[in-house]
Each structure stands twice: as C-alpha cells, then as structure tokens.
Amino acid sequence: YHRNLDLSSGINAEYGGYAALACALKLLYPTRGDVSEMARLGSGSACRSTAGGFVLWEKGEREGGEDSVARQLFSPSHWPELRILVCVVCRDEKHVPSTAGMQNTVNTSALMQHRITHVQERIARITRAIEQRDFATFGEITMRDSNEMHAVCLDTFPPIAYLNDTSHQIIRTVHKFNSDKGAIRAAYTFDAGPNAVLFCEEGDYSELKGVISDQFYGEKVTQLVECKLGCGPMLLK
C-alpha cells in the first residue's frame, strides 16, 4: 500500500490503508461477511474505498451495524469526463480529530439534527444527477452539502473551524468561475480540514486548474493533485 497524501490532515488519506488491509485479509481468510463492513471497523470512510467508481455508504437498519455497508452505484467509466483536483492547503494534523469532533457535534449541534432529516432526500437527488451526468445539479448539491457540514461544525459547542482563509478564498474563486461561465461548471467540497477537492468536467479542467494555480499555488496551496475516479482495490503481483 502506497499513499501520496498526509494522514490526519483532513484529506482522509488513512482510509485507503484500512480498505487495502480489509481487502487483503478477505483474500487471505475468506469469510461470508462484507469486506466494506470489515473496513468500516478501521474507518467509516474506508468502507467506501472497497469498491470503485461512485459508491454509497448505506446507513443500515440493524442495531449492530452489520448492514451499514458500501455498494457501488456506478462504475468509474460511467462519467469519464469528470475530473478532480485536490488543493493541499495545509499538511498539519487537524486540531480536532474527525471522530471526536463528530461525537461532540452529535451531542451539541441543533443544526446537526436538521441535517439528518434531509440526508436521504439529498442522496437520492445527487444519485439521479450522477446517473444523468448532470454536472450543474451534481455541483450545486456537492457545494451546498459541504457548506452545511461546516456550518454544523461551527454550530458545535465549542465550535469546530476546519476551514481557513485560503479555503474561503478558494470557495469564492469557484463561485466567481461559475458566475463568469453563467452556469455551475466547477464545484468544491471540504472534508474535516482546509484542503479543497474541486470537481469539473474535462472541457473546463485546464482553465480551472490554471485559475487555481495562478491565484494560490506556492504559498497558499502547496500541492495540486490531479485525480479521476478510482477503480477500487487491485491485487498487485
């Protein structure tokens, strides 16, 4: 297993390791259980990395969580024009670890309770957008969901502020990019950290990357990582 992003920096780089470990154990010791359930024991995000393409982490209904597993919605080839650009803003370890932060959010944030009420409806809408390769809808839902998650973090007591000034500047830059285009042609999302993950389609990628590079690369963004949809775990010989 090789990684090229830092652990604990808010890019969720550790989940690939847990997913790889779970898949390797499944090969060595075949069981009837779902490999994504095994990966989830290490990291919630890890279960989504046990399949390629677009993956949904099912909430599940059983008290023990056995049915809270991941399944592929669409293969990596479903939307070949989709491009991803990771903007590494900060490599430092998060001041509030994701698990501890989420536990406190659930206990103290009133906004979190509101967020829970419309998660399933939002999943259904973005699934349709991905199925139809509707970037404008996909992008808007992605950005709104990211904004809401970080609003919930700020509503936690004491508040959790994962984004920094550069994160907010990237957000404004993406919205200006879209305004100049007259449509949503780029989108952002942020995990539990200041590092931005940007989406666009192939036709806008070079221009978007150029805008980000010109405005941020160097002092504010230390690394730009070009990505496409992953194919899932592979056995290397």
Side-chain angles (χ1 to χ4, degrees):
Y1 165 64
H2 170 74
R3 61 178 174 83
N4 59 3
L5 295 173
D6 297 309
L7 302 178
S8 303
S9 62
I11 315 178
N12 257 345
E14 79 281 359
Y15 64 62
Y18 284 120
L21 177 61
C23 291
L25 290 173
K26 181 76 171 176
L27 287 172
L28 287 172
Y29 307 105
T31 64
R32 288 179 295 178
D34 191 290
V35 67
S36 70
E37 179 189 358
M38 187 187 306
R40 183 172 54 80
L41 298 177
S43 165
S45 296
C47 74
R48 299 175 301 196
S49 292
T50 57
F54 295 91
V55 178
L56 173 65
W57 180 5
E58 299 277 10
K59 178 181 69 172
E61 302 295 338
R62 298 178 187 173
E63 186 175 346
E66 297 88 352
D67 57 342
S68 180
V69 296
R71 62 181 176 89
Q72 184 186 78
L73 295 177
F74 305 101
S75 72
S77 62
H78 172 72
W79 198 346
E81 301 85 6
L82 189 66
R83 298 297 301 273
I84 306 165
L85 182 67
V86 179
C87 306
V88 181
V89 173
C90 180
R91 295 178 178 275
D92 296 338
E93 184 173 345
K94 292 173 288 190
H95 63 283
V96 178
S98 301
T99 301
M102 182 53 65
Q103 289 172 344
N104 199 31
T105 294
V106 170
N107 292 331
T108 65
S109 171
L111 285 180
M112 181 63 174
Q113 304 312 310
H114 167 71
R115 178 171 168 80
I116 291 171
T117 63
H118 59 259
V119 166
Q120 295 304 315
E121 180 268 340
R122 184 171 287 172
I123 289 174
R125 286 196 296 122
I126 200 167
T127 299
R128 286 195 299 272
I130 294 169
E131 181 180 20
Q132 298 166 5
R133 294 185 285 276
D134 175 359
F135 187 86
T137 302
F138 167 83
E140 179 175 350
I141 296 172
T142 297
M143 291 187 285
R144 285 185 178 275
D145 191 73
S146 177
N147 295 342
E148 184 180 272
M149 189 199 83
H150 287 280
V152 166
C153 291
L154 289 174
D155 187 53
T156 302
F157 193 80
I160 306 171
Y162 285 119
L163 305 185
N164 62 18
D165 288 344
T166 300
S167 307
H168 290 291
Q169 290 170 16
I170 292 173
I171 289 172
R172 290 193 292 270
T173 298
V174 170
H175 282 292
K176 185 178 186 307
F177 183 89
N178 289 333
S179 178
D180 291 345
K181 295 289 185 182
I184 295 176
R185 304 272 284 273
Y188 57 78
T189 186
F190 294 82
D191 202 348
N195 305 298
V197 178
L198 307 184
F199 298 91
C200 69
E201 290 190 289
E202 187 74 41
D204 293 305
Y205 182 76
S206 294
E207 184 178 354
L208 178 64
K209 183 183 177 184
V211 168
I212 296 298
S213 297
D214 291 344
Q215 295 189 30
F216 299 102
Y217 186 69
E219 184 177 346
K220 294 181 178 180
V221 171
T222 61
Q223 185 181 5
L224 293 173
V225 184
E226 302 184 31
C227 308
K228 288 188 176 181
L229 289 173
C231 60
M234 296 183 297
L235 180 62
L236 302 178
K237 297 182 179 180

